Amino acid sequence: MATFQSLPGFREFYPDALARRNHIFRLWRQTASTFGFAEYDAPVLEPLELYKTKSGDEIEAQLFSFTDKGGREVALRPEMTPTVCRMVGAKANALKRPIKWFSVAEYYRYERAQKGRERAFFQFNADIFGEPGPEAEIELIALLTQCMCAFGLTEQDFYVRLSDRNLWFYYLEALGLDEAKTRAMLSAVDKFEKAGEDAFKAYEEQHGPIGAELKAKILAFLQIKTLAALEQTLAPVGGEKLAARLADWRKVLGGLEAMGLARYVEVDLGVVRGLAYYTGFVFEAFDRKGELRAIAGGGRYNDLVAKLGGPELPAVGFAIGDVTLGLLLEARGLMPTLVNASDIYCVIGGEAERRAAFADIHALRAAGYRTDYPIREVAFGKQFKLASESGAKLALIYGADELAKGLVKVRNMSDRAEQDVPAAQVMEFVRDFFGGE
RNA sequence: GCGGUCAUAGCUCAGUUGGUUAGAGCACAAGAUUGUGAUUCUUGGGGUCGCGGGUUCGAAUCCCGUUGACCGCCCCA
């Protein structure tokens, strides 16, 4: 057994695991690019204060933080949001609006590792800055769903739960709750799905018993699954703010429906997301079977850029984690296996033939064909087995008989057909073969 | 940070009330096979049984500690 093991929650990526990771990254990048998002990157190590300012002092317990040799308090980034807010804030006036940016990066959190949660993990992060209206939400939720569908996932596999902190604020205000009670109630709502009635305990300890009528209204609000039900519930409450907010809801859901994405999105006010900096719509993606942790989460955070020292700049963003998504893809059989296949495998008779083959091998590789051969002498019969295992579509056979006649034998690995090709025309033959695919 | 379960080969696991040299399948490698593919047969490498201590004539097996994984709680940006 090895003397040293990797730290808890830190993963090693053997080639097959890295191939799966790259597959995920590739489709994320491709998808973001089709949506017109630009990729950026940023430091892994940041001033500790950046995260304390954003999330409060308690956050330090969840961070990989330390003092560097210059006496600076630093932390490995646990998320991208504060960093990207700083970057955008610093050049806000020079950036063309809307600012649509994405990144694929590794994050570090000092937490107990569990299924679907590691201490080091990757996230796809997408944000839109400078757009206060719900059009930004449409764009991002569309991107989120496509970032899942690109892998072959369907509405049978995942869905996005859409909620709204503003709606809760307006509704609870109309029900007569002050700000402190509202925050406590949102915290209870956040816990309700997991804890049930117990979720209200903390609220009642703080603010006294919840009246039966109030509780019934809260629970009814949580049951709402459609826009129609939402409008029906809020109609008697009235108020301009609520009316305007419902118009935003109609815009978001209408836009997503027009994109054909309605089947992925559910109204679900049970999602409030713990962190206090969200200022409007919030959403999370889950697997339909409810077996896994959240796959993605995001929302609007209009105050954060200013809070971190930039100008007033509205923003919406979300992140998808690689761990839970990877688990879901494995469970649905959507993770490809053979990734390192060759195009061409060379079967080589002996040492003399090897020298002749090398010229072609190098030329083929330079021309971009994935070309492999047995690195040391191997029995002829076994080489065909190796060729088969390599995944190559074509085997080039450099035998003594062929080379004596100035030929190379070419075997089509799928239909086993063979033909002789003049040695000088091998490259041309290969081009035709792969060009005609 | 707290509780529960578990830890034997690269992987999945077997290993009797404690008994002498710890096994199987898969995977990997070599050969049968010096000119033709996933089959078959033979053979091989690979283990201080997570680590440390204790009980015992004797520990993979029992006890204590520790590390890690998994499940749950807290948290989840």
Side-chain angles (χ1 to χ4, degrees), chain A residues 53 97 100 118 152 162 179 251 255 300 308 338 412-413:
Chain A
T53 300
R97 312 288 176 91
K100 305 201 308 187
E118 309 285 347
L162 179 63
E179 200 186 319
K251 207 166 206 176
R300 180 167 283 277
L308 292 169
L338 186 68
N412 182 329
M413 294 303 286

Side-chain angles (χ1 to χ4, degrees), chain A residues 134 136-138 140-141 144 159-169 186 189-190 245 249 252-253 256 265-286 296-302 315-319:
Chain A
E137 275 84 346
I138 296 172
L140 281 170
I141 294 170
L144 169 55
Y159 67 118
V160 178
R161 303 163 71 188
L162 179 63
S163 179
D164 181 1
R165 289 170 73 96
N166 283 356
L167 214 49
W168 273 109
F169 282 125
L186 282 184
V189 166
D190 192 31
R245 198 54 184 158
W249 270 84
V252 171
L253 292 174
L256 290 169
V265 183
E266 279 183 13
V267 177
D268 189 339
L269 296 158
V271 175
V272 287
R273 296 184 62 76
L275 270 286
Y277 67 86
Y278 284 113
T279 58
F281 285 106
V282 289
F283 48 93
E284 294 190 331
F286 286 87
R300 180 167 283 277
Y301 50 99
N302 283 347
V316 203
F318 73 87

Side-chain angles (χ1 to χ4, degrees), chain A residues 30-261:
Chain A
Q30 221 168 52
T31 304
S33 157
T34 63
F35 275 68
F37 281 67
E39 186 169 7
Y40 66 95
D41 200 1
V44 171
L45 198 64
E46 290 276 19
L48 176 60
E49 207 53 34
L50 180 64
Y51 304 112
K52 285 189 176 177
T53 300
K54 185 211 162 210
S55 307
D57 288 350
E58 319 79 55
I59 194 70
E60 190 171 354
Q62 317 281 342
L63 296 176
F64 275 93
S65 62
F66 57 95
T67 306
D68 76 5
K69 291 177 182 175
R72 284 174 284 260
E73 293 285 320
V74 297
L76 289 170
R77 66 182 171 205
E79 57 167 326
M80 193 60 99
T81 306
T83 301
V84 71
C85 283
R86 179 188 61 208
M87 289 170 69
V88 169
K91 301 199 174 176
N93 293 333
L95 295 170
K96 193 172 170 62
R97 312 288 176 91
I99 302 159
K100 305 201 308 187
W101 283 13
F102 82 98
S103 61
V104 176
E106 190 169 24
Y107 301 95
Y108 310 87
R109 296 180 185 175
Y110 199 87
E111 298 178 297
R112 172 77 87 208
Q114 285 179 17
K115 189 178 187 185
R117 183 168 83 177
E118 309 285 347
R119 285 182 164 183
F121 55 92
F122 293 86
Q123 282 188 343
F124 170 85
N125 212 274
D127 297 272
I128 296 180
F129 294 90
E131 178 50 61
E135 292 82 359
E137 275 84 346
I138 296 172
E139 183 77 341
L140 281 170
I141 294 170
L143 175 58
L144 169 55
T145 58
Q146 189 53 33
C147 275
M148 309 280 292
C149 292
F151 294 93
L153 293 166
T154 69
E155 72 266 29
Q156 320 275 314
D157 301 310
F158 78 97
Y159 67 118
V160 178
R161 303 163 71 188
L162 179 63
S163 179
D164 181 1
R165 289 170 73 96
N166 283 356
L167 214 49
W168 273 109
F169 282 125
Y170 301 157
Y171 186 58
L172 294 176
E173 186 183 29
L175 292 176
L177 273 63
D178 62 23
E179 200 186 319
K181 285 184 177 175
T182 296
R183 298 220 169 265
M185 186 58 81
L186 282 184
S187 168
V189 166
D190 192 31
K191 293 187 171 70
F192 181 75
E193 190 171 354
K194 210 172 200 178
E197 292 288 325
D198 287 351
F200 296 104
K201 271 185 183 164
Y203 178 94
E204 296 193 310
E205 278 167 23
Q206 235 181 318
H207 301 287
I210 304 171
E213 194 187 342
L214 174 59
K215 189 178 238 175
K217 282 188 170 166
I218 301 285
L219 293 180
F221 207 53
L222 277 171
Q223 297 300 312
I224 291 172
K225 294 284 176 222
T226 63
L227 181 59
L230 189 60
E231 289 176 319
Q232 202 180 352
T233 305
L234 292 175
V237 181
E240 269 182 42
K241 285 191 292 188
L242 266 178
R245 198 54 184 158
L246 282 174
D248 286 344
W249 270 84
R250 279 190 289 273
K251 207 166 206 176
V252 171
L253 292 174
L256 290 169
E257 191 180 359
M259 285 184 172
L261 301 176

Side-chain angles (χ1 to χ4, degrees), chain A residues 5-48:
Chain A
Q5 36 188 153
S6 63
L7 263 43
F10 282 75
R11 290 169 291 165
E12 294 174 308
F13 291 88
Y14 284 79
D16 56 339
L18 188 64
R20 291 195 288 272
R21 190 180 101 184
N22 284 339
H23 174 247
I24 291 174
F25 289 4
R26 193 180 318 119
L27 290 183
W28 278 347
R29 288 196 163 101
Q30 221 168 52
T31 304
S33 157
T34 63
F35 275 68
F37 281 67
E39 186 169 7
Y40 66 95
D41 200 1
V44 171
L45 198 64
E46 290 276 19
L48 176 60

